[in-house]
Amino acid sequence: MPLPSMTPEQRKAALAKAAEARKARTALLDSLRSGKAKLSEVLHKAKSDPIAGKTKVSQLLRAVPGLGPAKVSALMDEIGIDPDRRAGGLGDRQRQQLATAVG
C-alpha cells in the first residue's frame, strides 16, 4: 500500500509531532531510570497517556535499574507478554504481574 502524498507543510507538521513524541518518550524512560517514576505508575498511566501507552513494554522494563535484556526477556516470557507488546495493550492481570515482579 503506497504512502499518502503530503504537502510540505503536512510533512513538516508530522515530523515535528514525531520529534515531540520521541522527546516525551525519552523523558518517560529517563524518569524510570532515575527512579523518579515507578513502573507500576507508568503502566497505570499507559491506559490514558498516549506516550506511555505506545511505548513497548520491553523498552519500559529495560529502563528499570537492575533489569537487562536477559531478565526482561525471561520476565516477559514468564508472564506471557509478546516482545512487541505496547504498554497500552496490556491487560489488567499482566499489569499487576509486572508491577509485582518488578516491585
Side-chain angles (χ1 to χ4, degrees), residues 68-79:
K71 287 183 182 178
V72 167
S73 180
L75 180 61
M76 289 179 68
D77 284 344
E78 178 184 322
I79 295 175

Side-chain angles (χ1 to χ4, degrees), residues 2-77:
L3 293 174
S5 59
M6 301 172 103
T7 65
E9 294 82 20
Q10 289 173 325
R11 181 170 167 73
K12 186 176 180 180
L15 288 171
K17 184 178 177 184
E20 282 297 316
R22 283 192 300 274
K23 187 176 179 181
R25 190 172 299 115
T26 299
L28 174 70
L29 294 174
D30 286 344
S31 69
L32 275 173
R33 282 186 193 98
S34 67
K36 291 179 184 174
K38 291 185 178 184
L39 181 66
S40 58
E41 296 168 353
V42 173
L43 291 175
H44 180 72
K45 191 167 78 168
K47 292 179 183 179
S48 58
D49 180 23
I51 298 299
K54 290 181 181 179
T55 304
K56 288 189 177 185
V57 176
S58 59
Q59 203 174 14
L60 289 172
L61 288 172
R62 277 182 286 181
V64 174
L67 292 181
K71 287 183 182 178
V72 167
S73 180
L75 180 61
M76 289 179 68
D77 284 344

Side-chain angles (χ1 to χ4, degrees), residues 56-58 76 81-87:
K56 288 189 177 185
V57 176
S58 59
M76 289 179 68
I81 300 172
D82 187 80
D84 292 327
R85 175 71 65 193
R86 299 191 184 269

